[in-house]
Amino acid sequence: MAQLMLKDLVIKYGKVTVLNKLNLTIKDGELVTLLGPSGCGKTTTLRSVSGFLPVHGGDIFLNGKRITDIAPEKRGIGLVFQNYALWPHMTVFKNLAFGLELRKIPAEEIKKRVARVLASVKMEEYADRFPRQLSGGQQQRIALARAIVLEPDILLLDEPLSNLDALLREQMRFEIAAIHQRLGITTMYVTHDQTEAMVISDRIVVMRNGIMMQEGPPEEIYMRPRNKFVAGFMGTTCFIEGAVVKADGGRSVIRTEEGLELQGVGTDLKVGEKAFAAIRPEYITLDSRVRQSSGSSEINRFKAKVDRSNFTGEFFDYQLKLGKHFIRAKEYEAKALFELGKDIEIKIDEDRLPIVHDSDFEAATV
Ligand code: ADP
Ligand code: MG
């Protein structure tokens, strides 16, 4: 059982406030990711939880017990950083055993625990290697194993995959998710990579300038972003600004200056206020397929001009001009190649078009 709670946490560097009353609870066994651009305060949050950074306001609770002033080594927290920081002169076995030896665990027990944890990160064959004899991905797995073997109540991972190349990073995402599912350690994970956050998290906390902008399950953050900042951080998003002309239930319509009407999904919008349609390239249907798929519905059907086209290997990446706005669209059908300058019909899926507030719309309070 391990539950972590941050209450009105304030952290300053000198006179600069980096975290301003951050509130966050991580439930037992949950993996929560802090997601946000570089400098938004993710590492700062993690270091304050680990105890390596003094707190200027608020409190940290572990299982309901206040640990704000407790020394780092007494918190029962495991840490893994971006640079794996394995001890170069020790074998893999020794890297894992060292912390257990310091705790005076009997040698037999150490052997068993190290073997078990190495198996859980699929590295049992590598116990006798030195870190320099391992690839980046293997080293990162050992860094994770070294934290896990101490059986921490809480695991803190700070951009653990950012030093790996793209392919390995993708594999390791699944592995971290799988390891978390097997072991169920309560985990706070930090990344600036939205796909990584989507894949591994039970819940995502989007941060900007030390403030929580939104928190929720990955699908909710992606499909129901509250504001422009969150929508723009999740995937490729093109924004079209307009005034809200209809807002009932979850349905909203905005009208642009030039009179385009876009219908989508929005929450707590008011008629008359400024808002943005957050258009995702994957939810646009192009040309002849519009007529096949959408029947007679005129909602979000427009004429657009093909402005640019790139073939990525996986799909065609189009830039389209819709009125005076540029939007992007993905087309997976290799035959569907449109000439530059051609006018085509498009349809934006109204169920997958978030209508969002401006970025400075009040941050989520939890
Ligand atoms: P992130 O991990 O999200 O990239 P950090 O938590 O490292 O961001 O940093 C948050 C802010 O605090 C940044 O503006 C950064 O420049 C500042 N900062 C971080 N560490 C220090 C420090 N030791 N002294 C002064 N400012 C710092
Ligand atoms: Mg950081």
Side-chain angles (χ1 to χ4, degrees):
M1 247 317 264
Q3 187 216 51
L4 182 71
M5 186 168 97
L6 314 184
K7 191 155 192 313
D8 294 330
L9 199 65
V10 177
I11 307 270
K12 299 175 185 177
Y13 290 116
K15 286 204 173 86
V16 182
T17 302
V18 175
L19 292 188
N20 196 0
K21 298 204 170 179
L22 186 70
N23 284 288
L24 173 63
T25 301
I26 304 185
K27 289 181 282 205
D28 183 45
E30 204 181 17
L31 191 156
V32 172
T33 296
L34 306 182
L35 174 68
S38 178
C40 73
K42 305 180 297 290
T43 296
T44 300
T45 309
L46 225 68
R47 288 183 65 211
S48 70
V49 172
S50 69
F52 289 108
L53 203 60
V55 166
H56 297 91
D59 274 305
I60 303 167
F61 297 91
L62 183 58
N63 299 326
K65 256 179 48 192
R66 187 174 169 276
I67 59 162
T68 320
D69 312 312
I70 291 185
E73 68 275 11
K74 297 204 173 122
R75 294 188 180 196
I77 283 172
L79 272 169
V80 181
F81 294 109
Q82 165 180 350
N83 53 344
Y84 340 113
L86 295 174
W87 294 299
H89 57 288
M90 293 182 190
T91 62
V92 164
F93 178 86
K94 189 73 179 172
N95 261 280
L96 268 64
F98 190 66
L100 297 170
E101 288 166 3
L102 288 181
R103 292 173 190 203
K104 309 270 188 277
I105 309 247
E108 273 312 299
E109 165 81 14
I110 291 181
K111 265 194 200 152
K112 268 193 232 156
R113 271 168 72 169
V114 169
R116 197 168 60 224
V117 171
L118 282 180
S120 78
V121 296
K122 303 205 179 78
M123 289 291 289
E124 57 268 66
E125 314 278 304
Y126 296 83
D128 298 327
R129 298 243 190 135
F130 286 91
R132 64 174 182 279
Q133 299 170 313
L134 301 175
S135 71
Q138 292 168 335
Q139 290 185 45
Q140 192 53 284
R141 262 179 252 187
I142 297 306
L144 190 59
R146 187 177 58 179
I148 291 170
V149 81
L150 298 175
E151 298 178 358
D153 291 330
I154 306 274
L155 200 53
L156 305 177
L157 304 174
D158 193 352
E159 313 239 8
L161 306 185
S162 59
N163 276 351
L164 306 178
D165 63 57
L167 202 62
L168 197 54
R169 205 158 58 218
E170 206 180 306
Q171 284 172 9
M172 283 297 289
R173 276 176 203 153
F174 293 113
E175 298 220 4
I176 287 190
I179 290 168
H180 176 255
Q181 260 166 17
R182 275 201 299 278
L183 304 179
I185 304 175
T186 309
T187 303
M188 187 189 265
Y189 192 98
V190 161
T191 183
H192 64 272
D193 180 327
Q194 55 103 4
T195 315
E196 197 171 304
M198 291 289 298
V199 171
I200 67 162
S201 312
D202 295 315
R203 205 147 47 92
I204 295 176
V205 171
V206 183
M207 289 176 71
R208 184 176 74 150
N209 298 336
I211 292 173
M212 186 192 289
M213 299 300 277
Q214 188 170 350
E215 61 103 22
E219 300 76 11
E220 188 179 305
I221 299 280
Y222 193 80
M223 299 306 290
R224 303 275 184 273
R226 284 162 59 85
N227 63 36
K228 202 177 166 193
F229 176 82
V230 175
F233 207 76
M234 304 301 286
T236 309
T237 312
C238 300
F239 294 101
I240 292 186
E241 183 183 330
V244 177
V245 291
K246 214 171 111 190
D248 43 62
R251 282 274 173 233
S252 304
V253 178
I254 60 165
R255 186 182 294 138
T256 68
E257 256 176 26
E258 9 160 26
L260 287 175
E261 285 201 354
L262 291 137
Q263 182 180 126
V265 183
T267 44
D268 42 82
L269 293 158
K270 288 186 196 68
V271 170
E273 83 170 296
K274 179 171 94 171
F276 298 84
I279 302 174
R280 261 72 182 258
E282 57 271 36
Y283 301 129
I284 301 182
T285 314
L286 301 181
D287 208 47
S288 57
R289 294 214 252 146
V290 173
R291 288 180 290 277
Q292 285 164 22
S293 62
S294 63
S296 59
S297 164
E298 288 300 316
I299 297 167
N300 292 352
R301 263 169 85 160
F302 307 102
K303 278 260 190 303
K305 198 180 276 300
V306 178
D307 180 68
R308 206 180 68 199
S309 133
N310 293 301
F311 183 51
T312 68
E314 245 178 289
F315 54 85
F316 285 95
D317 171 11
Y318 287 109
Q319 178 163 281
L320 308 172
K321 194 156 190 223
L322 170 60
K324 59 176 185 160
H325 312 275
F326 289 99
I327 59 173
R328 299 266 293 277
K330 272 184 187 176
E331 174 59 64
Y332 283 87
E333 186 64 61
K335 279 180 285 185
L337 180 58
F338 305 118
E339 292 160 40
L340 294 187
K342 183 177 155 71
D343 278 315
I344 59 172
E345 203 171 345
I346 69 168
K347 155 112 185 156
I348 305 170
D349 185 343
E350 65 268 27
D351 293 323
R352 296 189 167 81
L353 179 63
I355 308 284
V356 299
H357 296 277
D358 215 343
S359 300
D360 293 320
F361 184 75
E362 43 131 352
T365 39
V366 182

